[in-house]
Amino acid sequence: DAKTTQPTSMDCAEGRAANLPCNHSTISGNEYVYWYRQIHSQGPQYIIHGLKNNETNEMASLIITEDRKSSTLILPHATLRDTAVYYCIVRVAVDDKIIFGKGTRLHILP
Amino acid sequence: DAGVTQSPTHLIKTRGQQVTLRCSPKSGHDTVSWYQQALGQGPQFIFQYYEEEERQRGNFPDRFSGHQFPNYSSELNVNALLLGDSALYLCASSLYRLDQPQHFGDGTRLSIL
C-alpha cells in the first residue's frame, strides 16, 4: 500500500501558484519524498525529490515539514499544461521500487 | 539525449497468447523497472532488473517474466494472457542508487480481446 495520502482533486487558476499537499506520517528517517506527474496518455514525469530540506528546481519547489510527516509541492505559476495527476511518493528505504497511490488530479482553470 | 523508449506503443492480443514488450533505458542508466497501469489507477510495480538479474518483484504471478541485456535494455514477457492484463505497461530507468529518480517511458498500451 502507498504510504502517502493526497486529496483526490484540486483546482487552481492559471497564473497562480498551485500548492499540492501530501501526508506521509509513517515516513522513515532515510526515506525520500518524490513527486511525479502524469499527463494523459504519457508516462509519469519526475518533478522533484527531497529528504529533509526544502528543494527547488526549474519545475517546482518542495517544502517538507520539520517532522517530515507532510510536504507540499508548489508550482509557482501554473499553466494549462500543468493539468495532470500528481503523485507524492515515499521511496522505500531498502527496496528500490516506487509504490504509487491514487494521486491528486490537478485542474488548471483558464 | 534520448530518454526511455518503449516498443511497440500499442498492441492487441487475444486471451492465451504471449507478448513481449521492449524498453531501452535513458543513456547512462543501468537499472530498469517495469510497471502495470490499469485504467484510472496508479502504476503498480512488477519487477526491477539490475546487472541482468531480477532484484525486486511486486505482487505479480510467474506469468510475468523479464530479462535485461548487457546493453541494459530490457524485455517484459507475459504468458497466457488474460483479459485483466489489458493495461498500460511502463518502463522506468535509473542509476542503481536509492536517491536517484526513475525516468519513465510513455508505455505500451496492451489490449486483450
Side-chain angles (χ1 to χ4, degrees):
Chain A
D1 289 344
K3 297 179 67 174
T4 62
T5 304
Q6 299 177 253
T8 303
S9 66
M10 293 181 62
D11 293 336
C12 179
E14 188 177 18
R16 303 298 294 270
N19 295 275
L20 291 88
C22 179
N23 288 320
H24 31 79
S25 58
T26 60
I27 192 170
S28 299
N30 58 351
E31 290 180 315
Y32 289 78
V33 179
Y34 278 76
W35 284 83
Y36 284 80
R37 72 180 182 184
Q38 189 171 23
I39 298 169
H40 184 62
S41 299
Q42 296 181 20
Q45 178 189 22
Y46 166 75
I47 301 173
I48 198 167
H49 75 284
L51 183 62
K52 59 177 72 173
N53 297 321
N54 297 338
E55 302 287 345
T56 296
N57 63 19
E58 65 278 4
M59 290 182 67
S61 295
L62 173 61
I63 308 298
I64 303 174
T65 58
E66 192 169 344
D67 63 7
R68 303 211 322 125
K69 292 185 177 182
S70 65
S71 61
T72 300
L73 177 74
I74 301 172
L75 308 177
H77 304 287
T79 71
L80 296 177
R81 288 178 293 181
D82 292 322
T83 292
V85 177
Y86 286 76
Y87 295 99
C88 170
I89 294 151
V90 167
R91 191 78 169 270
V92 180
V94 175
D95 303 331
D96 203 29
K97 58 182 178 284
I98 297 176
I99 299 176
F100 287 86
K102 296 185 183 300
T104 295
R105 187 169 296 277
L106 177 66
H107 300 275
I108 305 300
L109 307 175
Chain B
D1 180 21
V4 179
T5 58
Q6 294 186 242
S7 63
T9 55
H10 295 83
L11 200 53
I12 299 174
K13 292 285 188 179
T14 58
R15 282 179 299 174
Q17 285 190 309
Q18 178 265 343
V19 68
T20 297
L21 310 180
R22 295 176 176 82
C23 172
S24 292
K26 180 179 170 68
S27 178
H29 285 180
D30 57 9
T31 303
V32 172
S33 302
W34 287 91
Y35 294 81
Q36 180 196 66
Q37 186 173 25
L39 203 59
Q41 304 294 316
Q44 300 294 309
F45 175 76
I46 302 175
F47 43 53
Q48 181 185 78
Y49 277 83
Y50 170 68
E51 291 187 333
E52 304 179 46
E53 290 188 9
E54 184 182 293
R55 299 288 176 164
Q56 296 286 337
R57 189 178 183 93
N59 188 25
F60 280 80
D62 292 343
R63 298 187 297 110
F64 290 76
S65 63
H67 189 77
Q68 185 180 33
F69 299 94
N71 67 353
Y72 308 120
S73 67
S74 177
E75 289 181 349
L76 165 66
N77 301 292
V78 187
N79 295 322
L81 287 166
L82 304 173
L83 293 178
D85 295 332
S86 293
L88 179 67
Y89 288 85
L90 295 160
C91 170
S93 72
S94 60
L95 281 172
Y96 194 68
R97 284 178 54 191
L98 178 61
D99 61 345
Q100 293 299 307
Q102 294 183 7
H103 293 264
F104 286 79
D106 285 336
T108 294
R109 173 71 63 187
L110 176 64
S111 299
I112 310 302
L113 304 180

